[in-house]
Amino acid sequence: MRFTISSTALSSRLLSLSRVINSKNTLPILECFLFEVHDGQLTITASDSENVMQTTLNLEGSEGEGTFAVNNHTILDAVKELPEQPLNVDVNLGEFKIYITYQNGSYNFPILNAEEYPKTQPIASDATSITIGSGILADNITRSIFATAQDELRPVMNGIFFDLTTDWLAIVATDGHKLVRNKNFAIKNDVPASFILPKKPANLLKGTLAKDESDVVIRFDSRSAEISYTDGSLTCRLIEGKYPNYNSVIPEDNPNQITIDRKSLIGAIRRVLPFSSDSSQLIRFHVTNGQLDLNAEDIDFSTSAKESVTCEYNGNQMSIGFKGSSMLEILSNLQSDDVNIQLADPSRAGVVIPGDQSETEHVLMLIMPMLLND
């Protein structure tokens, strides 16, 4: 079996797929990429047994068809330093050997029997389907993943929740201290359905999906999801369990509203945060008409910092405490120039909303307050 393929195309796809493979695997074959040559195309698969990622490349020429497995480190080391050029690949399935010839040299190394590679279980035929723009899904995952938890006792909090309702698709993440909810009004379903995407496949998609308007199709049942995009697909096992009622923690009415330049606020928090207590990272937000004062203090080391930022404020004078690093994460994962911070009182959650939102989307982030010792 022979085929010809672009060196940079092969290298970039292998590098993307290699993030699926674990450093330690229960099965030695899972340290390999699975190569399948069929109908002038090369399909490459990587798996860690729970997540299976595939990509398909058009070949510049091919003779014969077949499947084989190659150690991921060996093939990556062979092609990643090569400049753009055609690679001539000759596979001897009888000897279990591969020969790669390039402009100024050649490689040869062993391959493995593809029969040992685990087969992917198909998604149920009655699976629910969602079609979403690739750029929109990538943005939603990027905006949400920082708010996922690392909680062994409540594994449902460790993933991103996709909540498909009759009115919208909500993509949600929370660790109990901060929450992100992305609503997309263009995607809905007659029958409500939901699933929890684990953090690893979410990160894989974040690094793989194109930031364009191409469609991504998500098919899911109670156990697994299959996500198909332009260059390939990802099949993953889902987190099983009931996600908490995220809407119940979002205040319906926060009458005190701050409108402030996002980058100015980020800069001010970064400057005062090093002077807060390492353990709590508490920053006091004191807001009056036209001004937000940020105060940080570490009593143990006798350090403190204060900075004022101009803002628009409608509401009563108030002091409320927030964890500085959490507020930074929220502000850094928004793109708008201005943000609107909605407050009720010092004991209730603050809501952060971007100043500009599209008609089809509504993004909301929530942060729980910290106790102030007045």
Side-chain angles (χ1 to χ4, degrees), residues 80-124:
K80 69 181 180 182
E81 297 297 337
L82 292 174
E84 166 55 31
Q85 60 187 287
L87 300 179
N88 296 306
V89 183
D90 194 337
V91 182
N92 189 321
L93 295 174
E95 293 180 358
F96 287 105
K97 200 113 184 212
I98 187 170
Y99 302 85
I100 299 176
T101 308
Y102 59 97
Q103 193 171 351
N104 298 313
S106 63
Y107 303 118
N108 71 82
F109 44 86
I111 57 176
L112 282 78
N113 192 336
E115 293 295 321
E116 299 175 27
Y117 208 85
K119 300 290 188 291
T120 307
Q121 293 296 321
I123 302 292

mmCIF file of all heavy atoms in Angstrom, residues 80-124:
data_model
loop_
_atom_site.group_PDB
_atom_site.id
_atom_site.type_symbol
_atom_site.label_atom_id
_atom_site.label_comp_id
_atom_site.label_asym_id
_atom_site.label_seq_id
_atom_site.Cartn_x
_atom_site.Cartn_y
_atom_site.Cartn_z
ATOM 1 N N LYS A 80 7.427 16.196 12.317
ATOM 2 C CA LYS A 80 7.172 17.559 12.818
ATOM 3 C C LYS A 80 8.246 18.569 12.410
ATOM 4 O O LYS A 80 7.982 19.762 12.330
ATOM 5 C CB LYS A 80 6.999 17.544 14.329
ATOM 6 C CG LYS A 80 8.257 17.237 15.128
ATOM 7 C CD LYS A 80 7.947 17.233 16.626
ATOM 8 C CE LYS A 80 9.194 16.920 17.446
ATOM 9 N NZ LYS A 80 8.872 16.862 18.889
ATOM 10 N N GLU A 81 9.481 18.116 12.133
ATOM 11 C CA GLU A 81 10.553 19.042 11.759
ATOM 12 C C GLU A 81 10.704 19.198 10.251
ATOM 13 O O GLU A 81 11.541 19.978 9.785
ATOM 14 C CB GLU A 81 11.887 18.563 12.354
ATOM 15 C CG GLU A 81 11.933 18.531 13.870
ATOM 16 C CD GLU A 81 11.762 19.909 14.504
ATOM 17 O OE1 GLU A 81 12.046 20.914 13.821
ATOM 18 O OE2 GLU A 81 11.338 19.982 15.673
ATOM 19 N N LEU A 82 9.899 18.483 9.474
ATOM 20 C CA LEU A 82 10.043 18.555 8.016
ATOM 21 C C LEU A 82 9.373 19.815 7.469
ATOM 22 O O LEU A 82 8.272 20.173 7.878
ATOM 23 C CB LEU A 82 9.393 17.332 7.354
ATOM 24 C CG LEU A 82 10.074 15.974 7.588
ATOM 25 C CD1 LEU A 82 9.231 14.866 6.990
ATOM 26 C CD2 LEU A 82 11.472 15.966 6.964
ATOM 27 N N PRO A 83 10.029 20.523 6.529
ATOM 28 C CA PRO A 83 9.352 21.640 5.849
ATOM 29 C C PRO A 83 8.278 21.105 4.907
ATOM 30 O O PRO A 83 8.210 19.904 4.640
ATOM 31 C CB PRO A 83 10.496 22.308 5.072
ATOM 32 C CG PRO A 83 11.511 21.225 4.875
ATOM 33 C CD PRO A 83 11.393 20.314 6.059
ATOM 34 N N GLU A 84 7.443 21.995 4.398
ATOM 35 C CA GLU A 84 6.345 21.593 3.503
ATOM 36 C C GLU A 84 6.900 20.888 2.264
ATOM 37 O O GLU A 84 7.720 21.439 1.521
ATOM 38 C CB GLU A 84 5.529 22.822 3.099
ATOM 39 C CG GLU A 84 4.574 22.606 1.932
ATOM 40 C CD GLU A 84 3.602 21.450 2.166
ATOM 41 O OE1 GLU A 84 3.232 21.177 3.325
ATOM 42 O OE2 GLU A 84 3.218 20.814 1.172
ATOM 43 N N GLN A 85 6.443 19.653 2.052
ATOM 44 C CA GLN A 85 6.845 18.851 0.896
ATOM 45 C C GLN A 85 5.975 17.596 0.862
ATOM 46 O O GLN A 85 5.376 17.225 1.876
ATOM 47 C CB GLN A 85 8.314 18.451 0.991
ATOM 48 C CG GLN A 85 8.650 17.628 2.238
ATOM 49 C CD GLN A 85 10.128 17.393 2.381
ATOM 50 O OE1 GLN A 85 10.699 16.608 1.634
ATOM 51 N NE2 GLN A 85 10.762 18.104 3.308
ATOM 52 N N PRO A 86 5.869 16.941 -0.297
ATOM 53 C CA PRO A 86 5.118 15.674 -0.341
ATOM 54 C C PRO A 86 5.907 14.545 0.311
ATOM 55 O O PRO A 86 7.127 14.441 0.126
ATOM 56 C CB PRO A 86 4.926 15.435 -1.848
ATOM 57 C CG PRO A 86 6.008 16.209 -2.513
ATOM 58 C CD PRO A 86 6.332 17.376 -1.622
ATOM 59 N N LEU A 87 5.212 13.733 1.091
ATOM 60 C CA LEU A 87 5.814 12.540 1.684
ATOM 61 C C LEU A 87 5.296 11.320 0.942
ATOM 62 O O LEU A 87 4.075 11.158 0.768
ATOM 63 C CB LEU A 87 5.439 12.430 3.173
ATOM 64 C CG LEU A 87 5.849 13.567 4.107
ATOM 65 C CD1 LEU A 87 5.360 13.262 5.520
ATOM 66 C CD2 LEU A 87 7.346 13.785 4.088
ATOM 67 N N ASN A 88 6.205 10.470 0.516
ATOM 68 C CA ASN A 88 5.818 9.210 -0.116
ATOM 69 C C ASN A 88 5.875 8.108 0.938
ATOM 70 O O ASN A 88 6.943 7.839 1.494
ATOM 71 C CB ASN A 88 6.747 8.883 -1.287
ATOM 72 C CG ASN A 88 6.639 9.906 -2.401
ATOM 73 O OD1 ASN A 88 5.545 10.179 -2.888
ATOM 74 N ND2 ASN A 88 7.767 10.501 -2.788
ATOM 75 N N VAL A 89 4.721 7.524 1.238
ATOM 76 C CA VAL A 89 4.609 6.541 2.317
ATOM 77 C C VAL A 89 4.324 5.167 1.715
ATOM 78 O O VAL A 89 3.357 5.002 0.960
ATOM 79 C CB VAL A 89 3.481 6.924 3.300
ATOM 80 C CG1 VAL A 89 3.417 5.933 4.449
ATOM 81 C CG2 VAL A 89 3.689 8.337 3.823
ATOM 82 N N ASP A 90 5.169 4.216 2.041
ATOM 83 C CA ASP A 90 5.013 2.832 1.570
ATOM 84 C C ASP A 90 4.802 1.951 2.792
ATOM 85 O O ASP A 90 5.650 1.920 3.699
ATOM 86 C CB ASP A 90 6.271 2.405 0.809
ATOM 87 C CG ASP A 90 6.062 1.125 0.000
ATOM 88 O OD1 ASP A 90 5.139 0.363 0.367
ATOM 89 O OD2 ASP A 90 6.801 0.895 -0.960
ATOM 90 N N VAL A 91 3.666 1.252 2.852
ATOM 91 C CA VAL A 91 3.318 0.437 4.022
ATOM 92 C C VAL A 91 3.350 -1.036 3.623
ATOM 93 O O VAL A 91 2.646 -1.453 2.690
ATOM 94 C CB VAL A 91 1.918 0.805 4.560
ATOM 95 C CG1 VAL A 91 1.596 -0.009 5.804
ATOM 96 C CG2 VAL A 91 1.834 2.295 4.860
ATOM 97 N N ASN A 92 4.170 -1.805 4.333
ATOM 98 C CA ASN A 92 4.235 -3.246 4.108
ATOM 99 C C ASN A 92 3.481 -3.931 5.255
ATOM 100 O O ASN A 92 4.018 -4.078 6.358
ATOM 101 C CB ASN A 92 5.692 -3.712 4.044
ATOM 102 C CG ASN A 92 5.806 -5.151 3.586
ATOM 103 O OD1 ASN A 92 5.002 -5.996 3.958
ATOM 104 N ND2 ASN A 92 6.824 -5.429 2.768
ATOM 105 N N LEU A 93 2.236 -4.308 4.990
ATOM 106 C CA LEU A 93 1.400 -4.904 6.034
ATOM 107 C C LEU A 93 1.850 -6.321 6.379
ATOM 108 O O LEU A 93 1.527 -6.828 7.457
ATOM 109 C CB LEU A 93 -0.065 -4.903 5.590
ATOM 110 C CG LEU A 93 -0.701 -3.516 5.417
ATOM 111 C CD1 LEU A 93 -2.102 -3.630 4.833
ATOM 112 C CD2 LEU A 93 -0.742 -2.774 6.743
ATOM 113 N N GLY A 94 2.602 -6.968 5.476
ATOM 114 C CA GLY A 94 3.109 -8.313 5.752
ATOM 115 C C GLY A 94 4.255 -8.279 6.745
ATOM 116 O O GLY A 94 4.327 -9.092 7.667
ATOM 117 N N GLU A 95 5.154 -7.301 6.568
ATOM 118 C CA GLU A 95 6.315 -7.176 7.467
ATOM 119 C C GLU A 95 6.010 -6.282 8.675
ATOM 120 O O GLU A 95 6.837 -6.156 9.583
ATOM 121 C CB GLU A 95 7.490 -6.552 6.703
ATOM 122 C CG GLU A 95 8.062 -7.409 5.603
ATOM 123 C CD GLU A 95 9.223 -6.705 4.895
ATOM 124 O OE1 GLU A 95 9.527 -5.545 5.264
ATOM 125 O OE2 GLU A 95 9.804 -7.321 3.993
ATOM 126 N N PHE A 96 4.848 -5.634 8.665
ATOM 127 C CA PHE A 96 4.491 -4.631 9.685
ATOM 128 C C PHE A 96 5.578 -3.553 9.771
ATOM 129 O O PHE A 96 6.146 -3.280 10.821
ATOM 130 C CB PHE A 96 4.258 -5.280 11.060
ATOM 131 C CG PHE A 96 2.961 -6.039 11.125
ATOM 132 C CD1 PHE A 96 2.961 -7.425 11.096
ATOM 133 C CD2 PHE A 96 1.744 -5.377 11.185
ATOM 134 C CE1 PHE A 96 1.770 -8.135 11.132
ATOM 135 C CE2 PHE A 96 0.554 -6.078 11.235
ATOM 136 C CZ PHE A 96 0.569 -7.459 11.208
ATOM 137 N N LYS A 97 5.819 -2.923 8.615
ATOM 138 C CA LYS A 97 6.860 -1.896 8.523
ATOM 139 C C LYS A 97 6.343 -0.769 7.638
ATOM 140 O O LYS A 97 5.589 -0.993 6.692
ATOM 141 C CB LYS A 97 8.130 -2.506 7.925
ATOM 142 C CG LYS A 97 9.372 -1.722 8.215
ATOM 143 C CD LYS A 97 10.291 -2.510 9.135
ATOM 144 C CE LYS A 97 11.498 -1.647 9.486
ATOM 145 N NZ LYS A 97 12.706 -2.379 9.686
ATOM 146 N N ILE A 98 6.781 0.469 7.963
ATOM 147 C CA ILE A 98 6.409 1.631 7.170
ATOM 148 C C ILE A 98 7.678 2.322 6.697
ATOM 149 O O ILE A 98 8.661 2.431 7.448
ATOM 150 C CB ILE A 98 5.502 2.597 7.979
ATOM 151 C CG1 ILE A 98 4.968 3.726 7.100
ATOM 152 C CG2 ILE A 98 6.213 3.166 9.189
ATOM 153 C CD1 ILE A 98 3.874 4.561 7.777
ATOM 154 N N TYR A 99 7.667 2.784 5.445
ATOM 155 C CA TYR A 99 8.804 3.474 4.843
ATOM 156 C C TYR A 99 8.327 4.840 4.372
ATOM 157 O O TYR A 99 7.402 4.932 3.564
ATOM 158 C CB TYR A 99 9.353 2.674 3.650
ATOM 159 C CG TYR A 99 9.790 1.274 4.009
ATOM 160 C CD1 TYR A 99 8.866 0.223 4.038
ATOM 161 C CD2 TYR A 99 11.117 0.992 4.313
ATOM 162 C CE1 TYR A 99 9.257 -1.072 4.368
ATOM 163 C CE2 TYR A 99 11.527 -0.298 4.651
ATOM 164 C CZ TYR A 99 10.592 -1.320 4.678
ATOM 165 O OH TYR A 99 10.989 -2.592 5.010
ATOM 166 N N ILE A 100 8.937 5.910 4.881
ATOM 167 C CA ILE A 100 8.560 7.271 4.501
ATOM 168 C C ILE A 100 9.756 7.908 3.799
ATOM 169 O O ILE A 100 10.854 7.991 4.366
ATOM 170 C CB ILE A 100 8.172 8.111 5.735
ATOM 171 C CG1 ILE A 100 6.975 7.491 6.454
ATOM 172 C CG2 ILE A 100 7.856 9.551 5.332
ATOM 173 C CD1 ILE A 100 6.577 8.209 7.737
ATOM 174 N N THR A 101 9.549 8.344 2.554
ATOM 175 C CA THR A 101 10.603 8.984 1.770
ATOM 176 C C THR A 101 10.256 10.450 1.586
ATOM 177 O O THR A 101 9.132 10.784 1.203
ATOM 178 C CB THR A 101 10.747 8.310 0.399
ATOM 179 O OG1 THR A 101 10.895 6.902 0.582
ATOM 180 C CG2 THR A 101 11.956 8.853 -0.358
ATOM 181 N N TYR A 102 11.228 11.320 1.868
ATOM 182 C CA TYR A 102 11.023 12.756 1.657
ATOM 183 C C TYR A 102 12.180 13.295 0.818
ATOM 184 O O TYR A 102 13.017 12.526 0.330
ATOM 185 C CB TYR A 102 10.868 13.497 2.989
ATOM 186 C CG TYR A 102 12.019 13.382 3.958
ATOM 187 C CD1 TYR A 102 12.982 14.366 4.046
ATOM 188 C CD2 TYR A 102 12.122 12.268 4.801
ATOM 189 C CE1 TYR A 102 14.047 14.263 4.946
ATOM 190 C CE2 TYR A 102 13.174 12.155 5.705
ATOM 191 C CZ TYR A 102 14.133 13.155 5.769
ATOM 192 O OH TYR A 102 15.177 13.036 6.655
ATOM 193 N N GLN A 103 12.235 14.610 0.645
ATOM 194 C CA GLN A 103 13.129 15.223 -0.336
ATOM 195 C C GLN A 103 14.592 14.826 -0.159
ATOM 196 O O GLN A 103 15.277 14.505 -1.127
ATOM 197 C CB GLN A 103 12.999 16.738 -0.261
ATOM 198 C CG GLN A 103 13.639 17.471 -1.432
ATOM 199 C CD GLN A 103 13.298 18.947 -1.426
ATOM 200 O OE1 GLN A 103 12.465 19.384 -0.652
ATOM 201 N NE2 GLN A 103 13.935 19.715 -2.285
ATOM 202 N N ASN A 104 15.084 14.855 1.064
ATOM 203 C CA ASN A 104 16.516 14.608 1.277
ATOM 204 C C ASN A 104 16.801 13.382 2.144
ATOM 205 O O ASN A 104 17.905 13.251 2.678
ATOM 206 C CB ASN A 104 17.175 15.832 1.933
ATOM 207 C CG ASN A 104 17.096 17.059 1.054
ATOM 208 O OD1 ASN A 104 17.393 16.978 -0.128
ATOM 209 N ND2 ASN A 104 16.671 18.181 1.612
ATOM 210 N N GLY A 105 15.817 12.526 2.333
ATOM 211 C CA GLY A 105 16.080 11.380 3.189
ATOM 212 C C GLY A 105 14.892 10.444 3.296
ATOM 213 O O GLY A 105 13.918 10.531 2.535
ATOM 214 N N SER A 106 14.951 9.550 4.283
ATOM 215 C CA SER A 106 13.873 8.571 4.464
ATOM 216 C C SER A 106 13.865 8.070 5.899
ATOM 217 O O SER A 106 14.865 8.173 6.620
ATOM 218 C CB SER A 106 14.059 7.393 3.505
ATOM 219 O OG SER A 106 15.275 6.708 3.796
ATOM 220 N N TYR A 107 12.718 7.538 6.309
ATOM 221 C CA TYR A 107 12.551 6.893 7.609
ATOM 222 C C TYR A 107 11.973 5.503 7.363
ATOM 223 O O TYR A 107 11.251 5.274 6.386
ATOM 224 C CB TYR A 107 11.537 7.624 8.494
ATOM 225 C CG TYR A 107 11.800 9.083 8.783
ATOM 226 C CD1 TYR A 107 10.901 10.060 8.363
ATOM 227 C CD2 TYR A 107 12.906 9.474 9.523
ATOM 228 C CE1 TYR A 107 11.109 11.401 8.654
ATOM 229 C CE2 TYR A 107 13.130 10.802 9.824
ATOM 230 C CZ TYR A 107 12.226 11.763 9.382
ATOM 231 O OH TYR A 107 12.438 13.085 9.662
ATOM 232 N N ASN A 108 12.236 4.586 8.283
ATOM 233 C CA ASN A 108 11.456 3.345 8.325
ATOM 234 C C ASN A 108 11.365 2.897 9.782
ATOM 235 O O ASN A 108 12.308 3.044 10.548
ATOM 236 C CB ASN A 108 12.045 2.263 7.419
ATOM 237 C CG ASN A 108 13.346 1.701 7.937
ATOM 238 O OD1 ASN A 108 13.357 0.820 8.794
ATOM 239 N ND2 ASN A 108 14.472 2.229 7.438
ATOM 240 N N PHE A 109 10.198 2.420 10.159
ATOM 241 C CA PHE A 109 9.971 1.972 11.538
ATOM 242 C C PHE A 109 8.804 0.999 11.570
ATOM 243 O O PHE A 109 8.022 0.906 10.614
ATOM 244 C CB PHE A 109 9.738 3.157 12.487
ATOM 245 C CG PHE A 109 8.816 4.223 11.965
ATOM 246 C CD1 PHE A 109 7.447 4.125 12.133
ATOM 247 C CD2 PHE A 109 9.318 5.340 11.307
ATOM 248 C CE1 PHE A 109 6.599 5.112 11.668
ATOM 249 C CE2 PHE A 109 8.481 6.335 10.830
ATOM 250 C CZ PHE A 109 7.123 6.224 11.009
ATOM 251 N N PRO A 110 8.669 0.256 12.685
ATOM 252 C CA PRO A 110 7.618 -0.769 12.763
ATOM 253 C C PRO A 110 6.220 -0.152 12.888
ATOM 254 O O PRO A 110 6.048 0.965 13.379
ATOM 255 C CB PRO A 110 7.963 -1.570 14.024
ATOM 256 C CG PRO A 110 9.312 -1.120 14.432
ATOM 257 C CD PRO A 110 9.530 0.236 13.868
ATOM 258 N N ILE A 111 5.228 -0.910 12.454
ATOM 259 C CA ILE A 111 3.825 -0.569 12.682
ATOM 260 C C ILE A 111 3.175 -1.732 13.433
ATOM 261 O O ILE A 111 3.781 -2.800 13.585
ATOM 262 C CB ILE A 111 3.071 -0.287 11.364
ATOM 263 C CG1 ILE A 111 3.174 -1.489 10.409
ATOM 264 C CG2 ILE A 111 3.597 0.981 10.714
ATOM 265 C CD1 ILE A 111 2.375 -1.318 9.121
ATOM 266 N N LEU A 112 1.954 -1.513 13.926
ATOM 267 C CA LEU A 112 1.255 -2.549 14.690
ATOM 268 C C LEU A 112 -0.015 -2.971 13.963
ATOM 269 O O LEU A 112 -0.541 -2.241 13.108
ATOM 270 C CB LEU A 112 0.899 -2.039 16.091
ATOM 271 C CG LEU A 112 2.020 -2.005 17.134
ATOM 272 C CD1 LEU A 112 2.926 -0.804 16.905
ATOM 273 C CD2 LEU A 112 1.453 -1.964 18.539
ATOM 274 N N ASN A 113 -0.510 -4.116 14.370
ATOM 275 C CA ASN A 113 -1.744 -4.649 13.787
ATOM 276 C C ASN A 113 -2.940 -3.818 14.239
ATOM 277 O O ASN A 113 -3.168 -3.637 15.435
ATOM 278 C CB ASN A 113 -1.918 -6.115 14.225
ATOM 279 C CG ASN A 113 -3.015 -6.816 13.436
ATOM 280 O OD1 ASN A 113 -3.914 -6.178 12.907
ATOM 281 N ND2 ASN A 113 -2.924 -8.131 13.369
ATOM 282 N N ALA A 114 -3.712 -3.320 13.284
ATOM 283 C CA ALA A 114 -4.858 -2.467 13.600
ATOM 284 C C ALA A 114 -5.996 -3.235 14.260
ATOM 285 O O ALA A 114 -6.897 -2.623 14.853
ATOM 286 C CB ALA A 114 -5.365 -1.796 12.331
ATOM 287 N N GLU A 115 -5.971 -4.563 14.180
ATOM 288 C CA GLU A 115 -7.053 -5.370 14.767
ATOM 289 C C GLU A 115 -7.127 -5.189 16.284
ATOM 290 O O GLU A 115 -8.180 -5.375 16.898
ATOM 291 C CB GLU A 115 -6.839 -6.857 14.445
ATOM 292 C CG GLU A 115 -6.973 -7.203 12.981
ATOM 293 C CD GLU A 115 -8.390 -6.974 12.460
ATOM 294 O OE1 GLU A 115 -9.346 -7.272 13.198
ATOM 295 O OE2 GLU A 115 -8.527 -6.466 11.333
ATOM 296 N N GLU A 116 -6.007 -4.838 16.914
ATOM 297 C CA GLU A 116 -5.977 -4.680 18.371
ATOM 298 C C GLU A 116 -6.603 -3.356 18.834
ATOM 299 O O GLU A 116 -6.886 -3.176 20.015
ATOM 300 C CB GLU A 116 -4.528 -4.736 18.869
ATOM 301 C CG GLU A 116 -3.815 -6.055 18.577
ATOM 302 C CD GLU A 116 -2.349 -5.994 18.987
ATOM 303 O OE1 GLU A 116 -2.026 -5.222 19.906
ATOM 304 O OE2 GLU A 116 -1.534 -6.709 18.374
ATOM 305 N N TYR A 117 -6.780 -2.422 17.897
ATOM 306 C CA TYR A 117 -7.278 -1.096 18.276
ATOM 307 C C TYR A 117 -8.747 -1.180 18.673
ATOM 308 O O TYR A 117 -9.555 -1.787 17.965
ATOM 309 C CB TYR A 117 -7.113 -0.113 17.108
ATOM 310 C CG TYR A 117 -6.940 1.320 17.557
ATOM 311 C CD1 TYR A 117 -5.691 1.812 17.900
ATOM 312 C CD2 TYR A 117 -8.019 2.182 17.652
ATOM 313 C CE1 TYR A 117 -5.506 3.117 18.316
ATOM 314 C CE2 TYR A 117 -7.861 3.490 18.069
ATOM 315 C CZ TYR A 117 -6.592 3.951 18.397
ATOM 316 O OH TYR A 117 -6.428 5.252 18.820
ATOM 317 N N PRO A 118 -9.133 -0.608 19.829
ATOM 318 C CA PRO A 118 -10.536 -0.741 20.288
ATOM 319 C C PRO A 118 -11.511 -0.053 19.351
ATOM 320 O O PRO A 118 -11.234 1.012 18.799
ATOM 321 C CB PRO A 118 -10.522 -0.063 21.673
ATOM 322 C CG PRO A 118 -9.305 0.795 21.688
ATOM 323 C CD PRO A 118 -8.315 0.151 20.780
ATOM 324 N N LYS A 119 -12.660 -0.673 19.172
ATOM 325 C CA LYS A 119 -13.699 -0.131 18.291
ATOM 326 C C LYS A 119 -14.580 0.853 19.063
ATOM 327 O O LYS A 119 -14.860 0.664 20.241
ATOM 328 C CB LYS A 119 -14.573 -1.266 17.731
ATOM 329 C CG LYS A 119 -13.801 -2.301 16.921
ATOM 330 C CD LYS A 119 -13.328 -1.724 15.592
ATOM 331 C CE LYS A 119 -12.722 -2.802 14.695
ATOM 332 N NZ LYS A 119 -11.449 -3.330 15.185
ATOM 333 N N THR A 120 -15.029 1.893 18.370
ATOM 334 C CA THR A 120 -15.901 2.901 18.975
ATOM 335 C C THR A 120 -17.343 2.421 18.955
ATOM 336 O O THR A 120 -17.825 1.938 17.923
ATOM 337 C CB THR A 120 -15.807 4.235 18.197
ATOM 338 O OG1 THR A 120 -14.437 4.602 18.095
ATOM 339 C CG2 THR A 120 -16.585 5.329 18.893
ATOM 340 N N GLN A 121 -18.030 2.533 20.099
ATOM 341 C CA GLN A 121 -19.440 2.167 20.157
ATOM 342 C C GLN A 121 -20.279 3.253 19.483
ATOM 343 O O GLN A 121 -20.114 4.431 19.770
ATOM 344 C CB GLN A 121 -19.892 2.014 21.622
ATOM 345 C CG GLN A 121 -19.262 0.853 22.355
ATOM 346 C CD GLN A 121 -19.647 -0.495 21.763
ATOM 347 O OE1 GLN A 121 -20.787 -0.708 21.353
ATOM 348 N NE2 GLN A 121 -18.690 -1.406 21.691
ATOM 349 N N PRO A 122 -21.175 2.863 18.557
ATOM 350 C CA PRO A 122 -21.978 3.874 17.867
ATOM 351 C C PRO A 122 -22.996 4.534 18.801
ATOM 352 O O PRO A 122 -23.451 3.933 19.776
ATOM 353 C CB PRO A 122 -22.687 3.076 16.765
ATOM 354 C CG PRO A 122 -22.708 1.655 17.273
ATOM 355 C CD PRO A 122 -21.480 1.499 18.109
ATOM 356 N N ILE A 123 -23.329 5.783 18.495
ATOM 357 C CA ILE A 123 -24.367 6.498 19.234
ATOM 358 C C ILE A 123 -25.731 5.913 18.865
ATOM 359 O O ILE A 123 -25.948 5.482 17.741
ATOM 360 C CB ILE A 123 -24.328 8.013 18.871
ATOM 361 C CG1 ILE A 123 -22.944 8.594 19.191
ATOM 362 C CG2 ILE A 123 -25.405 8.792 19.608
ATOM 363 C CD1 ILE A 123 -22.591 8.673 20.638
ATOM 364 N N ALA A 124 -26.651 5.875 19.831
ATOM 365 C CA ALA A 124 -27.989 5.320 19.592
ATOM 366 C C ALA A 124 -28.671 6.032 18.425
ATOM 367 O O ALA A 124 -28.489 7.235 18.220
ATOM 368 C CB ALA A 124 -28.836 5.448 20.854
#
